[in-house]
Each structure stands twice: as structure tokens, then as C-alpha cells.
Amino acid sequence: MDLWPGKPYPLGATYDGSGVNFAVFSEAATAVDLCLIDDSGAERRVPLREVDGFVWHGFAPGLQPGQRYGFRVHGPYDPANG
């Protein structure tokens, strides 16, 4: 699946009738993957390549409401410093 750039707002997943825009805020992320999960539980990862003001975003044309998804955020692991 190829993502279009999409918009950095609103945050979350937003269906517009032709697909779904995904946007998530992270000031510390070095990369963010959109994880699409099918009915069997298999996960497909698609990188969100667009970033504006610490908001990672992309538009998935043709995606419908009800699609299970999540975000995998990459970056430094340093719980002692938040």
C-alpha cells in the first residue's frame, strides 16, 4: 500500500469518503509506522513519511471504516528521562 501525504490534522484516523487520513503527534519519534491488521491478526507496516510540527501523517486511499490499526513509534528508549 502506498500512502499519500495526507494532513497533520485532525489527530487520529479520519475517514473522508475516499480513504483514511492518519495523524499522530510525537516530538521524540525518529520514525512512525502505521500498522494495518487484517482479520487473521497479520500485521502490515507502512511508514508514515510526512512530518509537520512533530505530527506524522499519511492518507490511505480506499481504506474503509472498521480497519484495525495501530502505530509503531521508533526513537530513543530512555524511561528514566521521560
Side-chain angles (χ1 to χ4, degrees):
M1 165 180 289
D2 289 327
L3 292 182
W4 297 353
K7 298 179 181 177
Y9 56 87
L11 295 177
T14 306
Y15 179 68
D16 73 355
S18 65
V20 179
N21 190 75
F22 293 93
V24 61
F25 176 88
S26 178
E27 192 170 339
T30 57
V32 175
D33 294 330
L34 169 64
C35 302
L36 300 173
I37 303 154
D38 68 18
D39 291 337
S40 70
E43 177 184 306
R44 179 178 184 186
R45 295 182 193 176
V46 184
L48 294 178
R49 301 194 187 278
E50 301 294 323
V51 187
D52 292 299
F54 302 114
V55 177
W56 298 74
H57 56 91
F59 181 81
L63 214 59
Q64 297 291 311
Q67 170 68 54
R68 292 187 301 162
Y69 73 94
F71 297 108
R72 189 171 299 272
V73 180
H74 305 265
Y77 180 75
D78 191 3
N81 291 312

